[in-house]
Amino acid sequence: MKIFSSLKSGFYRAWRSRKGILIVWLVFFLLVLVFIYPLRASLKTAFSSSMITERLAGGLDIEVFSDLGPTLKTILSSVTGGFIMVYLVGFLLNAFLTAGLFGSVRKETGKFSAREFFNAASKSFWPFLAISLVITLTLNFVLGVVLGIPVGVVSSSETMPETTRFAVMISAGAVALLLIPVVLLAADYSRAWKSTHENESFLKAIGFGFSRTFSKFWSSYIMMVLVILTQSALGILIMIILPAWKPVTGGGVFLLLIVSQLLFFARLLLKTWRYASVTSMMEETALTIPVNTYNINDEQGRSNQIPG
Amino acid sequence: MKINLVFIFCLFLTFCPLDAQIINEIPLSDRVTGYRIDVKLDTDSKTVKGSMEAFWVNKSSDTVPDIQMHLYMNAFRSNRTTYFREMGGSPGNNDSDLGWIEIRSLMDENGVDLLPSMEYISPDDGNREDKTVARILLPIPALPGDTVSVRIDFETKLPSRIRRTGYTGDFYFVAQWFPKFGVYEPAGMRYSARGGWNCHQFHANSEFYSNHSVYDLTLNLPVEYFTGSGGKLISEKTDGEMKTLVYRAEDIVDFAWTAWPGYSVFTDRWKNVDITLLIPGSRVKQVERQFAAVKYALQYLDQNVGPYPWPHLTFVDPPLIGAGAGGMEYTTLFTTGSSLFMPEWRHYAEMITVHEFGHAYFMGILASNEFEEPWLDEGVNSYWEERIMDNYYGSNSGLINHRLLKVSDKSSARRGYSSSPVRQTVSNNEYSWNYPHGTYYMMSYQKTAVWLHTLAGIIGEETMDNVFREYYRKWAFKHPSGKDFINVVNEVVQKEHGARFGPDMNWFFDQTLYGTGICDYKVIGFSNRKYRKPEGKTDTADAIANEWPDTDSLYTSVAMIERAGDVILPVDVLIHFTNGDEILEKWDGKARYKDYTYTGYREIDWVKIDPEFRITMDVNFNNNSFTEEPQRAVLHRLVNRLLTFIQFYLSIILL
């Protein structure tokens, strides 16, 4: 039942933080726009007064772009460089904004306040950045090992039957998928704990994150899987709706942009739901522990032997 | 002497069935050569060992002192062979990795040992480490009409790393495995100024030029193996743990076979053709798609080029361990390349099937020289592959038919050519090993297909089909050259269009096949100017004003066109006016620039060159049109999608 109460509480808290989500949406919208706008201008210049863009009305036509020749190479190289920049800046901004969100989804937080959001964001920026960095590297390492080794073995074998190869690859993929919620839980528990323990080091937070993930494994894991499945359902819905919609007028394209951004807002809401559910789960499981061994206010300075 | 007489008698008995009709009622070809091969597959030593009786008929008026034979498995003998020098890499260091063919004995019909008079030659590059061609001096030169018969005992070791041929584990694909005659070309045949053997070494990019022959293969191998070949199975006999199969093939240019215990065998039928598919058991789901693809190809080529003349066809989908054998062609046997999971929207496996089957026509029936004119083999075949794929799987989705992305086979080839930085490095008419800077594939496959589509765009698809029907009618089961193909084009175009395109089409081939120029027509722009009445003192009356009473709303509009490339082709120019009028101009495309001027109560709205994209040689379609109000909404839509995609992607990868 903890799972559902956490999910329910998490959703309420996420909705309560919708203005914070709006801030996150706006920041990322502007960030990507900074990258996209020059690209749009480049494409306009590249196609100039050509009517070839008519061929894009029915969908992507690679020939239209390949005929751009050297211009395409220039555009692609600027897209690649631009995307790396967006990713790096996005990484920093995400650490900052996530700190704000984790601060606003805590139980004791009342009505959303932008001042508190940015206050929490600025206070926890560096530890959140460090946690994000460590967990991202951990995730990449884990996926590299889980996927890379079997792929390497399969590729180097000349005589392995096709079905065995496929089974190995599928198994590796399945293991990787099963491990992702674990790493996400560790990341979320770390950050949820850190947002209530401002003076603790980020390493302790990571330690707590992994410790809590495994000490409350099944309830946490099932909850995370449910959140991911819901997010995936939204993702599938988006994959069905957006590509099928091919407006050819300015108004239609603008409407598509609005709908896309609403869907992205929904995606951010679900992501915040994940943060809030994990925070709620952390708080709920902490509260069930007898008072003499746990007091949230006495917790500062303790290591992860005592649940936070 | 007694031995010799017995041997001659045996040869007589032996070759008698080669002339007999077993598969087709009448011979399809001249049958200049024939082979009777009796071998055993030794799965321990990875060898094919046995004997071969073969003949070559001197159908020329020359007295020929020698014979020349391909010993192509020697290409895998070391990394010094021409094949490995061209493609890089290594056959491997272990003896088990290498491939070779050893002639154990070689006798003529009189029992004379010819082995001492055999030497390895390297007619293409003088590489003495390459032993893929053997020259055998005959004790008595072959007079016109003579038949030279030989008996050869040979052993072929298969290479372990399959590159077209070889073995991996218990999978065998056995091609280029027996001594095979070159083609004797008398003076006047193709490009020969004087008679001589055309017998090229084994190259990285080419391996086919042979006579249409009759093959009788007796193959002994372990019972657990499933086999397939370019021949028709005549008999099968099991003896304990071994079985003996007898195959017969008629009028094909090469004979290959495969054996693997893991095959599942499926059969289907198209008209009178029995089709057999050998495929790993795990890929059963691909069977229907593969049969559909091959039947599409049969139907299309039968309808537009000529009949498929054999009653049998076998194709093989090699397992992953034998993927190196995939995508090869041996006329009545070819290999494709699917995999365990092939999404319905992805037609690459079908494309390979259609392409490799197409070689039954282009190189199989119309047996051109792949070494010297690869475009006539791979390029012409690619052209037909693209037509078939786009015809059956959608004109804009022959290769990929996904709701997010559609790619036609034709556009894929054009993209390869038009975006290649080396598209002008060399002409399209080189020997296969003379293409520099990795241009072989782009030039032989893609550029050829692109200019064939362009030719069809100029002369019309119906005329193009008639060209190929005539090419088939004239040259089936012969050895056409590029100039023979061009002659057919000239004849058919002349017949159907008169002098519309000039006395012949050589101007087209000079630029596309033999030239290195690019084709690029562009619209510079257009102008619409209000008509200005004569001002000041003029000596003549205003003729325009007489013709157009209301000169206040009269415009003089000019559409400006340019030929930016070197290639000159006739193009259509479509001019659209604000009042909805359209004028289609036919431009010969010769001048560097061209202005079309119009006077009337209308302004030019937009201009398009080649509005139906018939001139696929044009390397840039983007500059083929001009308007002052381009369609930006779809571009914005695309950019918006990218924006959304990056937002979602970042939100997923950032924790």
Side-chain angles (χ1 to χ4, degrees):
Chain A
M1 286 312 286
K2 267 182 211 152
I3 295 168
F4 292 103
S5 64
S6 298
L7 287 171
K8 193 178 161 188
S9 167
F11 192 80
Y12 170 72
R13 295 178 191 199
W15 182 246
R16 197 180 63 193
S17 307
R18 60 190 177 278
K19 286 181 185 168
I21 298 169
L22 205 62
I23 293 168
V24 176
W25 168 80
L26 185 66
V27 169
F28 274 92
F29 180 72
L30 292 174
L31 171 70
V32 181
L33 211 60
V34 166
F35 160 64
I36 285 290
Y37 239 83
L39 174 66
R40 197 169 91 152
S42 302
L43 286 174
K44 269 187 183 178
T45 311
F47 287 112
S48 184
S49 298
S50 175
M51 299 168 76
I52 198 76
T53 47
E54 286 173 352
R55 283 177 56 166
L56 298 171
L60 198 60
D61 187 332
I62 297 174
E63 210 170 10
V64 170
F65 291 95
S66 68
D67 275 10
L68 288 175
T71 313
L72 179 69
K73 283 180 185 163
T74 312
I75 292 173
L76 285 179
S77 62
S78 67
V79 164
T80 312
F83 181 76
I84 291 168
M85 283 304 293
V86 165
Y87 175 74
L88 292 175
V89 177
F91 197 88
L92 296 174
L93 287 172
N94 188 60
F96 180 79
L97 297 167
T98 312
L101 282 177
F102 268 100
S104 64
V105 296
R106 278 155 53 190
K107 190 179 184 183
E108 66 267 29
T109 311
K111 204 177 170 188
F112 178 82
S113 149
R115 192 180 62 81
E116 282 178 24
F117 177 87
F118 285 111
N119 194 29
S122 58
K123 273 185 183 169
S124 302
F125 170 67
W126 289 111
F128 266 59
L129 183 65
I131 291 168
S132 297
L133 196 63
V134 170
I135 302 280
T136 301
L137 290 174
T138 307
L139 183 63
N140 286 330
F141 176 75
V142 167
L143 293 182
V145 169
V146 170
L147 294 174
I149 292 175
V151 168
V153 169
V154 164
S155 307
S156 61
S157 168
E158 281 193 355
T159 52
M160 189 183 283
E162 198 172 21
T163 41
T164 312
R165 283 172 194 258
F166 181 72
V168 170
M169 304 282 261
I170 288 290
S171 306
V175 170
L177 282 176
L178 291 172
L179 283 174
I180 286 173
V182 177
V183 181
L184 289 180
L185 276 169
D188 291 351
Y189 273 131
S190 307
R191 291 181 290 183
W193 188 81
K194 186 72 193 76
S195 69
T196 57
H197 297 73
E198 289 166 4
N199 299 324
E200 296 292 350
S201 76
F202 77 90
L203 287 172
K204 270 190 179 172
I206 293 171
F208 172 82
F210 278 103
S211 162
R212 173 50 63 97
T213 300
F214 291 108
S215 64
K216 301 286 172 193
F217 184 76
W218 286 113
S219 53
S220 304
Y221 191 83
I222 291 168
M223 183 188 72
M224 182 57 81
V225 168
L226 288 173
V227 172
I228 290 174
L229 286 177
T230 312
Q231 289 177 340
S232 305
L234 177 73
I236 291 166
L237 192 70
I238 290 166
M239 288 288 288
I240 291 168
I241 294 171
L242 293 186
W245 189 6
K246 294 171 183 167
V248 290
T249 60
V253 172
F254 182 71
L255 193 62
L256 174 67
L257 177 68
I258 299 294
V259 172
S260 306
Q261 293 310 307
L262 283 174
L263 289 168
F264 182 59
F265 182 83
R267 154 76 195 160
L268 290 177
L269 183 69
L270 290 185
K271 197 175 179 184
T272 311
W273 179 42
R274 192 188 94 203
Y275 299 156
S277 300
V278 171
T279 305
S280 174
M281 172 73 90
M282 183 186 81
E283 289 169 356
E284 272 193 52
T285 50
L287 292 172
T288 56
I289 295 169
V291 175
N292 60 348
T293 59
Y294 172 74
N295 183 321
I296 198 163
N297 296 320
D298 294 343
E299 196 186 331
Q300 289 189 1
R302 290 181 191 175
S303 68
N304 57 3
Q305 287 94 342
I306 298 169
Chain B
M1 195 61 194
K2 191 180 173 184
I3 293 169
N4 286 346
L5 285 173
V6 170
F7 182 66
I8 291 164
F9 181 68
C10 289
L11 273 179
F12 174 77
L13 288 180
T14 298
F15 286 120
C16 212
L18 285 177
D19 294 331
Q21 288 307 295
I22 294 178
I23 295 174
N24 284 317
E25 284 179 11
I26 52 165
L28 300 169
S29 70
D30 277 355
R31 297 185 183 174
V32 178
T33 48
Y35 305 86
R36 171 178 294 279
I37 307 169
D38 188 342
V39 287
K40 179 184 177 183
L41 171 67
D42 186 332
T43 53
D44 294 326
S45 62
K46 311 294 180 189
T47 56
V48 177
K49 204 186 300 184
S51 61
M52 178 180 93
E53 287 145 7
F55 69 81
W56 166 70
V57 184
N58 181 6
K59 294 212 170 181
S60 74
S61 55
D62 304 338
T63 299
V64 182
D66 60 356
I67 53 173
Q68 290 187 16
M69 300 190 99
H70 300 292
L71 299 172
Y72 277 166
M73 201 55 89
N74 281 337
F76 304 92
R77 188 179 278 272
S78 78
N79 65 352
R80 301 285 183 225
T81 63
T82 295
Y83 173 75
F84 277 102
R85 281 185 176 178
E86 286 174 356
M87 75 169 291
S90 162
N93 291 322
N94 302 322
D95 283 348
S96 61
D97 293 332
L98 305 178
W100 41 257
I101 177 166
E102 291 287 351
I103 306 291
R104 303 293 185 209
S105 77
L106 171 60
M107 286 190 291
D108 72 1
E109 62 265 44
N110 299 316
V112 176
D113 185 3
L114 299 178
L115 212 48
S117 62
M118 185 182 99
E119 60 170 346
Y120 293 108
I121 58 170
S122 312
D124 300 337
D125 61 2
N127 176 11
R128 296 181 69 81
E129 291 285 349
D130 191 89
K131 296 181 175 179
T132 57
V133 176
R135 177 176 180 265
I136 300 132
L137 201 63
L138 298 171
I140 306 162
L143 297 172
D146 277 0
T147 296
V148 176
S149 300
V150 290
R151 182 191 164 90
I152 300 173
D153 291 332
F154 69 98
E155 182 178 358
T156 297
K157 162 70 177 58
L158 303 167
S160 72
R161 297 169 189 179
I162 299 183
R163 292 180 177 98
R164 307 179 196 163
T165 180
Y167 75 93
T168 305
D170 53 359
F171 171 81
Y172 295 86
F173 196 87
V174 186
Q176 307 296 6
W177 57 286
F178 63 95
K180 193 172 66 175
F181 287 107
V183 177
Y184 187 83
E185 294 188 333
M189 180 180 169
R190 290 183 349 101
Y191 301 102
S192 296
R194 57 193 176 88
W197 285 95
N198 191 302
C199 194
H200 290 287
Q201 294 160 244
F202 193 74
H203 289 276
N205 291 326
S206 53
E207 60 185 283
F208 297 112
Y209 184 49
S210 302
N211 291 304
H212 296 97
S213 307
V214 180
Y215 298 88
D216 277 305
L217 170 68
T218 303
L219 174 62
N220 185 253
L221 78 173
V223 285
E224 66 268 24
Y225 281 81
F226 290 101
T227 58
S229 82
K232 192 176 167 74
L233 184 63
I234 302 298
S235 70
E236 181 173 351
K237 199 172 74 180
T238 304
D239 183 12
E241 292 182 347
M242 300 297 282
K243 64 179 175 183
T244 302
L245 309 170
V246 177
Y247 284 104
R248 164 89 175 182
E250 294 173 0
D251 309 298
I252 60 174
V253 292
D254 202 357
F255 193 100
W257 53 276
T258 180
W260 186 47
Y263 279 130
S264 289
V265 183
F266 296 87
T267 56
D268 203 338
R269 199 172 166 84
W270 177 84
K271 288 189 177 173
N272 66 328
V273 182
D274 290 320
I275 312 168
T276 306
L277 168 62
L278 280 76
I279 191 168
S282 55
R283 292 186 202 161
V284 173
K285 281 185 180 172
Q286 306 302 325
V287 172
E288 202 177 315
R289 287 172 63 176
Q290 287 295 330
F291 274 127
V294 80
K295 287 198 276 187
Y296 287 156
L298 271 161
Q299 176 73 36
Y300 201 82
L301 290 172
D302 181 84
Q303 193 178 314
N304 295 304
V305 178
Y308 177 81
W310 297 278
H312 60 95
L313 173 65
T314 300
F315 69 122
V316 178
D317 190 6
L320 211 56
I321 56 167
M328 284 304 299
E329 66 277 15
Y330 303 93
T331 312
T332 43
L333 171 82
F334 70 89
T335 60
T336 182
S338 79
S339 60
L340 204 53
F341 286 97
M342 297 289 296
E344 286 288 335
W345 50 266
R346 199 170 180 272
H347 302 141
Y348 279 87
E350 285 93 333
M351 184 266 280
I352 299 172
T353 297
V354 168
H355 182 92
E356 303 309 338
F357 168 73
H359 280 298
Y361 283 76
F362 305 107
M363 185 280 287
I365 298 169
L366 296 147
S368 53
N369 188 327
E370 191 197 21
F371 300 90
E372 297 180 8
E373 294 178 307
W375 68 270
L376 196 53
D377 175 319
E378 295 293 0
V380 169
N381 190 39
S382 295
Y383 165 76
W384 281 99
E385 164 221 305
E386 288 157 21
R387 280 187 58 175
I388 295 166
M389 291 303 291
D390 290 348
N391 185 65
Y392 285 104
Y393 297 101
S395 61
N396 67 340
S397 54
L399 277 187
I400 295 177
N401 188 10
H402 191 270
R403 64 196 178 89
L404 296 179
L405 181 67
K406 294 184 192 302
V407 177
S408 80
D409 201 9
K410 181 179 166 182
S411 76
S412 175
R414 181 184 165 269
R415 220 171 42 249
Y417 163 68
S418 66
S419 62
S420 170
V422 286
R423 65 192 174 198
Q424 289 185 271
T425 304
V426 67
S427 94
N428 209 168
N429 190 47
E430 297 290 336
Y431 282 16
S432 72
W433 58 92
N434 280 344
Y435 285 95
H437 310 159
T439 52
Y440 167 77
Y441 179 78
M442 183 271 294
M443 295 301 291
S444 299
Y445 289 68
Q446 296 175 321
K447 185 182 174 184
T448 308
V450 166
W451 62 249
L452 282 167
H453 283 296
T454 302
L455 181 61
I458 293 169
I459 64 176
E461 198 156 280
E462 203 179 317
T463 304
M464 195 68 170
D465 290 349
N466 289 336
V467 163
F468 276 96
R469 286 186 191 112
E470 182 63 9
Y471 179 49
Y472 181 99
R473 193 189 65 76
K474 267 193 171 167
W475 289 101
F477 296 100
K478 292 175 188 156
H479 298 294
S481 68
K483 67 176 167 56
D484 298 319
F485 174 75
I486 292 169
N487 287 340
V488 171
V489 172
N490 288 336
E491 279 169 34
V492 175
V493 171
Q494 190 69 31
K495 190 177 157 194
E496 299 198 358
H497 296 282
R500 185 180 155 195
F501 301 107
D504 55 45
M505 294 297 288
N506 292 351
W507 56 269
F508 178 85
F509 294 103
D510 288 344
Q511 298 180 93
T512 54
L513 170 61
Y514 301 112
T516 57
I518 57 160
C519 172
D520 186 14
Y521 285 96
K522 69 192 276 191
V523 183
I524 297 292
F526 56 79
S527 66
N528 295 297
R529 286 189 186 148
K530 276 212 162 185
Y531 178 71
R532 289 185 70 180
K533 289 175 189 170
E535 293 164 1
K537 291 178 182 177
T538 56
D539 294 336
T540 53
D542 185 2
I544 297 287
N546 291 338
E547 194 182 341
W548 305 88
D550 179 14
T551 52
D552 288 340
S553 52
L554 192 63
Y555 285 90
T556 300
S557 305
V558 183
M560 293 165 277
I561 318 294
E562 183 184 313
R563 175 169 62 81
D566 304 317
V567 172
I568 297 169
L569 298 173
V571 289
D572 292 346
V573 182
L574 184 65
I575 295 120
H576 186 269
F577 295 88
T578 44
N579 65 352
D581 286 356
E582 280 187 354
I583 296 174
L584 184 68
E585 302 280 4
K586 302 274 182 189
W587 183 32
D588 62 13
K590 287 179 181 167
R592 268 291 169 192
Y593 65 89
K594 176 85 178 169
D595 287 352
Y596 287 103
T597 306
Y598 308 93
T599 303
Y601 303 122
R602 59 189 184 179
E603 296 172 73
I604 293 178
D605 197 11
W606 51 255
V607 179
K608 281 182 184 177
I609 298 174
D610 186 26
E612 290 178 25
F613 303 103
R614 286 182 182 154
I615 310 296
T616 47
M617 275 287 285
D618 192 320
V619 294
N620 187 0
F621 283 157
N622 292 352
N623 62 14
N624 281 26
S625 54
F626 192 97
T627 178
E628 282 175 351
E629 291 174 6
Q631 168 69 280
R632 293 280 187 233
V634 286
L635 209 57
H636 294 169
R637 185 185 79 199
L638 189 81
V639 173
N640 288 350
R641 279 197 205 288
L642 189 62
L643 172 109
T644 312
F645 171 78
I646 294 172
Q647 282 177 313
F648 274 90
Y649 184 69
L650 283 177
S651 86
I652 290 166
I653 61 168
L654 298 175
L655 295 172

